Amino acid sequence: MLFSKSLRVGSIIAISMLFMFAWHVSPVRGAECGDVDNNGTIDISDLSYFVDYLFFTGPVPAPRVCFGDWDATGAVDMSDLSAIIDHLFFGGPSPSVGCCAAKPLFASGVEYSSGTGPHSTFSADLNGDHHPDLIVANDLDATVSVYFNHGDGTFVDRNTYAVESNPLSVFAADFNGDGHIDIAAATVNANSVSVLLNRGNGTFYPYSTYAVDQKPKCVYGADLDADGDVDLITANAYSNDISILMNYGNGIFTHAADYPIVARGQCVRTADLDGDGDLDIAALNQNDNSVSILLNDGHGSFTDQVPFQVGSWPHWLFVCDLNNDGRQDIVTTNQGTDSISVLFNDGHASFASRIDYQVGPNPRGVYAADFDGDGHPDLAVANFGADFITILLNRGDGTFGTLMNITVGANPIFVIGDDLDGNGTVDLHTANYGGNSASVIKNLTNH
């Protein structure tokens, strides 16, 4: 990207003056290198030549450029000074100006055929070989698919298990305490959760059914009453509540206890939000553009919900300590504005006003983990209106920059991560609703 002399506007001159003296008089000029034009030779860019051009009649330069194959297309991409100018003069986010990666952060997605209308994925070691396997909930054919891991992040052909109608969400944990991972699926049109217990070898018994309230969109598991076993929670769209199924400890669950939220429950997650040592609940209200917080009394019962506003028409949420202050924060995807909202926790389950970031079209799933090995959780967003996921890297303080897009299957609706190939880094996998597939995206960094 070359700058013409017509772009000598005040903002560019001002930022150039910050570096002019040091970089003009110094014989050492920092350069970034990469084969940008794909001609087999290395290209060079240097900001000091940009200063020479503006003030000392030097030749027309390229701006300082960071090189890397950000979108894993095999071509070298670059970032430039526009982010710095936007931050200093137009209120944009703080940019990262350090050295860029010499190689892509993630490989291109590898697709595996699923059932019809895959809506969510999960990973867990189902057959006891110490490698995480994949589970996919297939909305339109009332099944879950199981894929065993070869140990290197590649997977064998799927096994398929029937559940009740329209499974939208899947979760896996040891429900009956036998040391083997079981499966739960939220089946929206059956108003139930289907539970499949593991035979001990990664195959599953026929499902048992547990009734919940109307149109469960999501199921999640956690030990809510601190008795050592995994309970289940659903977010219910039509009854505007959540349902809790307490585990007897043997993989059999109580009748559902329902707690009201605001409007159209879409997703639910748990974390210790108020710092008292027990697990609280965050539930997404799609019609109210909010997240409801329900605090645990320490025995698995919950207070009345308190809502906090997020962006328009939110679809999913994730809970994570984004700014490394020891408090669990919240991020949501917002379909109505093609954005995500970040809410920081004050430590007492009260959340600051949201900060929004633009992502791809119609964002659905969101997941947080440290992708680049710097100790700070980054974000991955599944964009249903495109065929890619968006990665946002954490600057270290819970703010995000460096967007990169990674191509996956058609209409990715869900994204989650795990170390699928055993190399110590977090890989990603997606459910691609329009492609009838799951994509595996391997992390290429070395911690």
Side-chain angles (χ1 to χ4, degrees):
M1 179 174 59
L2 298 179
F3 277 70
S4 71
K5 294 195 176 185
S6 63
L7 291 180
R8 296 181 188 179
V9 294
S11 61
I12 298 177
I13 292 174
I15 190 171
S16 301
M17 289 178 68
L18 296 176
F19 308 106
M20 176 182 65
F21 179 77
W23 286 356
H24 179 66
V25 301
S26 172
V28 179
R29 302 173 184 266
E32 298 282 351
C33 300
D35 183 8
V36 176
D37 52 9
N38 200 32
N39 66 355
T41 62
I42 298 298
D43 310 304
I44 299 175
S45 177
D46 188 337
L47 184 58
S48 58
Y49 289 106
F50 177 62
V51 176
D52 268 351
Y53 169 63
L54 283 178
F55 297 100
F56 304 101
T57 65
V60 177
R64 182 176 176 86
V65 173
C66 292
F67 295 106
D69 182 9
W70 299 113
D71 51 8
T73 60
V76 176
D77 311 307
M78 57 186 177
S79 62
D80 58 41
L81 278 174
S82 58
I84 303 174
I85 295 169
D86 182 49
H87 171 59
L88 290 178
F89 298 100
F90 303 105
S94 176
S96 173
V97 295
C99 293
C100 296
K103 62 181 181 180
L105 186 58
F106 287 97
S108 298
V110 176
E111 288 189 68
Y112 293 85
S113 177
S114 70
T116 308
H119 203 276
S120 73
T121 63
F122 203 84
S123 53
D125 179 12
L126 300 177
N127 58 357
D129 66 355
H130 307 293
H131 304 299
D133 308 303
L134 294 186
I135 311 158
V136 179
N138 303 302
D139 173 19
L140 300 181
D141 62 11
T143 63
V144 295
S145 299
V146 171
Y147 308 75
F148 291 128
N149 193 335
H150 287 296
D152 59 358
T154 63
F155 295 85
V156 300
D157 291 340
R158 70 185 186 273
N159 295 319
T160 300
Y161 297 88
V163 294
E164 292 209 270
S165 60
N166 301 103
L168 297 188
S169 173
V170 66
F171 183 84
D174 180 7
F175 299 138
N176 59 358
D178 65 353
H180 305 294
I181 301 298
D182 311 304
I183 295 173
T187 49
V188 64
N189 283 339
N191 297 327
S192 68
V193 173
S194 293
V195 174
L196 298 90
L197 296 181
N198 195 327
R199 298 177 187 269
N201 60 359
T203 65
F204 294 84
Y205 293 103
Y207 66 86
S208 300
T209 299
Y210 296 89
V212 295
D213 221 337
Q214 299 174 47
K215 304 297 182 183
K217 291 292 194 77
C218 172
V219 63
Y220 193 74
D223 184 7
L224 298 176
D225 54 1
D227 64 353
D229 47 50
V230 178
D231 310 303
L232 295 174
I233 317 109
T234 64
N236 309 313
Y238 282 17
S239 50
N240 302 327
D241 59 11
I242 62 171
S243 295
I244 294 177
L245 301 164
M246 289 297 186
N247 192 338
Y248 285 116
N250 57 359
I252 298 174
F253 295 84
T254 64
H255 291 294
D258 301 325
Y259 291 85
I261 53 176
V262 179
R264 193 177 174 87
Q266 185 72 18
C267 178
V268 63
R269 288 292 183 268
T270 64
D272 181 8
L273 299 175
D274 57 0
D276 65 354
D278 48 45
L279 294 177
D280 311 302
I281 294 174
L284 195 63
N285 301 296
Q286 191 168 63
N287 283 5
D288 185 59
N289 302 331
S290 68
V291 174
S292 288
I293 303 302
L294 298 89
L295 298 181
N296 195 329
D297 67 358
H299 304 286
S301 295
F302 293 84
T303 61
D304 291 342
Q305 62 89 28
V306 177
F308 295 88
Q309 292 302 119
V310 296
S312 173
W313 200 244
H315 182 85
W316 212 250
L317 67 83
F318 200 85
V319 180
C320 181
D321 180 8
L322 297 174
N323 56 356
N324 292 327
D325 65 354
R327 303 162 181 170
Q328 297 297 305
D329 309 306
I330 291 174
V331 57
T332 69
T333 54
N334 310 312
Q335 293 177 248
T337 51
D338 294 340
S339 68
I340 60 170
S341 293
V342 173
L343 293 84
F344 291 119
N345 190 342
D346 70 355
H348 304 286
S350 184
F351 292 83
S353 297
R354 74 181 195 266
I355 301 170
D356 290 349
Y357 297 86
Q358 291 301 120
V359 289
N362 199 351
R364 299 293 185 94
V366 62
Y367 174 75
D370 180 11
F371 302 141
D372 57 1
D374 66 354
H376 308 295
D378 310 302
L379 299 177
V381 178
N383 302 296
F384 187 78
D387 297 341
F388 60 82
I389 62 172
T390 297
I391 305 296
L392 299 92
L393 298 182
N394 194 328
R395 296 189 178 100
D397 58 359
T399 64
F400 295 87
T402 316
L403 277 73
M404 59 190 78
N405 297 324
I406 302 169
T407 300
V408 293
N411 305 116
I413 197 168
F414 189 85
V415 61
I416 197 169
D418 205 339
D419 182 8
L420 299 177
D421 54 6
N423 70 347
T425 61
V426 179
D427 310 301
L428 297 171
H429 47 101
T430 66
N432 309 314
Y433 195 84
N436 294 330
S437 67
S439 290
V440 172
I441 307 103
K442 288 189 181 181
N443 192 322
L444 301 178
T445 62
N446 292 314
H447 285 205

